[in-house]
């Protein structure tokens, strides 16, 4: 297996996609095949993906953002409706709600898991609330049973933003079966399995899956593959306003190779995360990831938190690490602080503390033990803390 391992610089990055020779070969095959978008490779990738997570239907799209957008449309969510979601998430979570004309209503998180706190949900529900958009943040599953209980008591749909959660487990089962009506995955290079850009929606509802397949392709009544294979001249119809959210066959071909590597990816990430946990446990000022006993983390990101810190101190630590060629990232953003979402009245103390004091450490498949030791050593000898 030949692997492209040209480092972008000498800096230890926060993340780096792992793309090997097999991905290259798979793309070349597609390019030479004559069918390069939403064709046989996409269908195959969908099938493999649904088999992997254990759901009935997987629908490939162009990103997780477009997956979330279609999921909300398929649930009939639109103008005037409210959807509960965390503010501590990538802005795409809330943007997808805004795209359909609905309003995101932000719930606070649990400071240990960085996921929606089920106890805070009930008070956010109004007659306009239609759904909860649950995020499995940085790959750690949210407490779904409690959330599903609140949702069913108030007749709300539950959609999972599983952008980061491929390979993660909840009560011993992979995320994506799904636990709500739909789960949406991302294949952006910052996630564990990448196709450059790309997304997948999983569901067990055949009618919803069909609707998603039409919507991703301008609501065309017949797929290109069906038209291509038809023995008679076929005429399609367009019964509603749809979108172009297609995945290309080059992306799907990469995705299939990556799916084959996923077991190795997960194993390496969990190994490195355990090493961080062990190597950091003697540092009193930080909180390492807290994983509830019914969850298995995939460590899409490894986020620590300053227990007695501020954003200023956190940023000083980041600067000192950068001067030692170690790249880190601030915690997950708080969406309610960004301009399009600033107007609401929110009481989100845990979210604000998490976004101000969280710090994402380097973790990627190719990271060596000695690179990680270097990061650990740097964290133990920080002068800003001395
Ligand atoms: C990355 C991410 C998205 C967006 O995924 P894209 O594939 O880049 O559109 C959405 N939600 C969460 C929680 C994410 O981390």
């Amino acid at each position: 297996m030949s692997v492209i391992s040209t480092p972008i610089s000498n800096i230890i990055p926060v993340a780096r996609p792992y793309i090997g020779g097999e991905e290259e070969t798979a793309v070349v095959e597609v390019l030479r095949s004559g069918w390069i978008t939403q064709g046989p490779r996409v269908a195959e990738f969908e099938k493999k993906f649904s088999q992997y997570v254990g759901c009935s239907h997987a629908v490939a799209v162009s990103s997780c953002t477009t997956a979330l957008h279609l999921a909300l449309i398929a649930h009939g969510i639109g103008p005037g409706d409210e959807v509960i979601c965390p503010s501590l998430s990538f802005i795409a979570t809330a943007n997808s709600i805004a795209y359909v004309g609905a309003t995101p209503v932000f719930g606070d998180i649990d400071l240990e898991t960085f996921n929606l706190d089920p106890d805070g949900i009930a008070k956010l529900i109004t007659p306009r609330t239609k759904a909860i958009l649950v995020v499995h943040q940085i790959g750690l599953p949210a407490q779904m049973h409690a959330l599903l209980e609140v949702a069913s008591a108030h007749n709300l749909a539950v959609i999972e933003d599983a952008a980061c959660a491929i390979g993660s487990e909840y009560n011993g089962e992979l995320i994506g079966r799904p636990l709500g009506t739909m789960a949406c995955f991302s294949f952006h290079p910052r996630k564990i399995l990448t196709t450059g850009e790309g997304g997948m929606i999983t569901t067990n509802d055949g009618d919803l899956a069909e609707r998603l397949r039409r919507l991703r392709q301008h609501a065309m009544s017949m797929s290109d593959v069906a038209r291509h294979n038809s023995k008679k001249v076929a005429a399609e119809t367009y019964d509603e306003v749809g979108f172009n959210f297609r995945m290309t066959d080059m992306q799907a071909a990469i995705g299939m190779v990556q799916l084959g590597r996923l077991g190795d990816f997960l194993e390496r990430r969990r190994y490195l995360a355990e090493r961080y946990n062990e190597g950091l446990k003697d540092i009193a000022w930080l909180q390492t990831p807290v994983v509830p006993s019914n969850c298995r983390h995939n460590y899409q990101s490894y986020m620590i938190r300053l227990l007695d810190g501020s954003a200023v101190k956190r940023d000083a630590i980041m600067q000192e690490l950068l001067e030692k060629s170690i790249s880190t990232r601030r915690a997950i953003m708080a969406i309610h602080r960004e301009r399009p979402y600033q107007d609401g009245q929110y009481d989100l103390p845990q979210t604000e503390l998490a976004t101000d004091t969280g710090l994402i450490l380097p973790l990627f498949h190719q990271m060596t033990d000695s690179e990680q030791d270097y990061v650990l050593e740097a964290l133990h000898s920080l002068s800003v803390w001395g």
Side-chain angles (χ1 to χ4, degrees):
M1 178 172 55
S2 77
V3 171
I4 307 163
S5 60
T6 328
I8 292 161
S9 68
N10 289 326
I11 288 179
I12 298 177
V14 161
R16 181 186 290 165
Y18 181 93
I19 301 283
E22 289 168 57
E23 281 86 344
E24 290 183 12
T25 306
V27 169
V28 171
E29 261 174 36
V30 170
L31 290 173
R32 291 174 179 170
S33 75
W35 198 318
I36 58 178
T37 197
Q38 203 172 276
R41 287 305 197 294
V42 169
E44 218 178 315
F45 184 37
E46 290 176 335
K47 193 164 163 225
K48 288 255 159 67
F49 196 91
S50 65
Q51 285 166 349
Y52 171 73
V53 300
C55 67
S56 312
H57 309 277
V59 180
V61 288
S62 53
S63 69
C64 183
T65 307
T66 58
L68 293 167
H69 187 175
L70 288 192
L72 290 162
I73 293 174
H75 281 82
I77 292 161
D81 295 336
E82 292 174 359
V83 177
I84 295 170
C85 71
S87 166
L88 191 84
S89 185
F90 184 54
I91 198 164
T93 306
N95 282 350
S96 67
I97 298 166
Y99 295 156
V100 300
T103 306
V105 174
F106 299 120
D108 211 356
I109 51 131
D110 174 284
L111 205 47
E112 289 197 327
T113 62
F114 308 121
N115 275 321
L116 264 183
D117 179 0
D119 293 339
I121 300 294
K123 66 173 191 283
L124 302 174
I125 296 171
T126 75
R128 298 175 150 202
T129 311
K130 289 285 154 57
I132 307 177
L133 182 47
V134 181
V135 181
H136 303 304
Q137 199 49 262
I138 57 176
L140 180 65
Q143 283 309 307
M144 291 301 289
H145 279 92
L147 292 164
L148 288 164
E149 218 167 271
V150 186
S152 89
H154 294 86
N155 203 18
L156 308 177
V158 173
I159 300 167
E160 297 167 72
D161 180 342
C164 303
I166 191 160
S168 301
E169 293 173 29
Y170 183 75
N171 284 344
E173 291 188 339
L174 286 169
I175 289 295
R177 295 175 77 84
L179 293 155
T181 31
M182 287 184 194
C184 300
F185 292 86
S186 170
F187 307 130
H188 182 272
R190 184 66 184 81
K191 318 299 190 205
I192 296 178
L193 184 162
T194 187
T195 61
E197 295 280 356
M200 191 74 81
I201 312 166
T202 62
T203 181
N204 292 323
D205 184 319
D207 293 337
L208 284 178
E210 271 318 301
R211 177 104 194 278
L212 294 169
R213 286 184 200 289
R214 288 194 303 274
L215 283 169
R216 71 177 171 180
Q217 191 179 14
H218 297 287
M220 194 167 128
S221 61
M222 179 179 228
S223 76
D224 289 323
V225 176
R227 186 168 54 181
H228 182 77
N229 293 332
S230 174
K231 296 274 187 297
K232 294 208 177 97
V233 175
E236 70 281 6
T237 59
Y238 302 83
D239 300 332
E240 62 181 311
V241 177
F243 303 85
N244 175 1
F245 289 164
R246 285 184 288 253
M247 175 183 277
T248 70
D249 272 38
M250 285 82 82
Q251 290 169 310
I254 296 171
M256 277 195 295
V257 180
Q258 291 261 302
L259 202 52
R261 297 191 195 279
L262 184 59
D264 289 345
F265 289 167
L266 293 168
E267 195 184 327
R268 182 73 192 162
R269 299 188 86 85
R270 285 171 176 148
Y271 165 82
L272 290 168
E274 274 310 313
R275 264 183 119 246
Y276 266 141
N277 290 343
E278 196 53 35
L280 296 173
K281 70 177 183 204
D282 61 329
I283 303 185
W285 54 263
L286 64 79
Q287 169 192 299
T288 53
V290 178
V291 182
S293 59
N294 63 347
C295 294
R296 193 149 185 233
H297 209 320
N298 67 2
Y299 297 100
Q300 180 270 337
S301 289
Y302 187 92
M303 181 159 124
I304 59 170
R305 202 175 69 73
L306 279 61
L307 288 170
D308 166 32
S310 62
V312 175
K313 201 145 208 171
R314 187 263 321 267
D315 291 357
I317 290 174
M318 292 177 70
Q319 184 60 39
E320 194 175 329
L321 292 172
L322 189 59
E323 280 157 21
K324 292 182 175 168
S325 299
I326 299 165
S327 181
T328 57
R329 289 287 177 278
R330 293 194 178 99
I332 307 145
M333 64 185 295
I335 301 172
H336 73 284
R337 284 181 173 172
E338 298 304 317
R339 189 173 288 172
Y341 302 103
Q342 274 170 359
D343 293 343
Q345 291 294 311
Y346 297 110
D347 181 28
L348 301 167
Q350 310 277 75
T351 298
E352 301 203 338
L353 201 53
T355 198
D356 284 341
T357 59
L359 180 62
I360 295 173
L361 299 181
L363 180 62
F364 47 94
H365 184 72
Q366 310 89 309
M367 187 180 203
T368 61
D369 289 14
S370 59
E371 280 177 317
Q372 188 178 37
D373 290 340
Y374 178 72
V375 176
L376 286 167
E377 204 179 284
L379 281 162
H380 278 90
S381 60
L382 285 168
S383 66
V384 283
W385 216 267

